Amino acid sequence: MEHETTTSAEETISTARLFRQSFFPGAFAGVVADCFIHPMDTVRTRLQTGFAVLGPEGASNSKAYKNTLDVLFKIGRYEGIRGLYSGFSSVVTFTVPAHALYFAGYEFSKRYLLDGKKDLSAIETSACHFASGFVAEIGGAL
């Protein structure tokens, strides 16, 4: 019976490839997601906190916004598109490593748990993915 053995160098190359294929795309996915989600977060935050947009006269009323569309129109009118992305650099600073660690953590733990096992039941496979997701969440939360 012939057994396939992998050398330490092959494992290192394989691990490096897995790292590149999960870490960097994870970081990129986080930035792309934030590009679309951040404006909605800005609108939600302004609506919840009542943070007022200062008009041309420099004063704001006590009730800054009526509804979501009002927030959008006022931000667009007084701050432009940049207003929707205020604070974006701070968010991206933490999103990039969080998403990168999430994706890498999922792939590394899934690879470790499966490790060539082919005849797993549906429950075992689901448990592997659940555990990998748990590890990914811990990595992303760091």
Side-chain angles (χ1 to χ4, degrees):
M1 212 196 254
E2 237 177 83
H3 291 284
E4 225 178 89
T5 59
T6 54
T7 65
S8 179
E10 288 173 344
E11 283 181 17
T12 302
I13 291 170
S14 177
T15 301
R17 184 179 304 124
L18 180 63
F19 182 77
R20 280 193 314 274
Q21 291 175 346
S22 59
F23 190 82
F24 295 116
F28 181 71
V31 171
V32 170
D34 277 343
C35 286
F36 291 101
I37 299 300
H38 190 77
M40 291 183 274
D41 280 342
T42 300
V43 168
R44 177 185 48 87
T45 300
R46 298 263 182 108
L47 199 56
Q48 288 175 341
T49 62
F51 178 77
V53 175
L54 299 177
E57 58 279 343
S60 62
N61 57 11
S62 60
K63 185 167 179 157
Y65 304 110
K66 298 174 192 160
N67 54 40
T68 304
L69 286 177
D70 187 42
V71 176
L72 279 171
F73 287 130
K74 284 183 178 175
I75 290 175
R77 181 176 178 191
Y78 297 119
E79 299 175 59
I81 191 87
R82 293 182 74 187
L84 290 173
Y85 285 94
S86 62
F88 186 71
S89 59
S90 298
V91 170
V92 169
T93 300
F94 294 101
T95 293
V96 168
H99 279 82
L101 289 171
Y102 181 92
F103 276 66
Y106 183 83
E107 291 300 324
F108 275 101
S109 59
K110 184 177 75 170
R111 178 182 178 191
Y112 176 78
L113 292 171
L114 289 176
D115 196 27
K117 299 176 184 117
K118 299 203 189 260
D119 296 329
L120 295 176
S121 69
I123 291 174
E124 290 170 324
T125 303
S126 296
C128 171
H129 289 287
F130 175 80
S132 297
F134 183 75
V135 169
E137 281 295 328
I138 291 171
L142 294 176

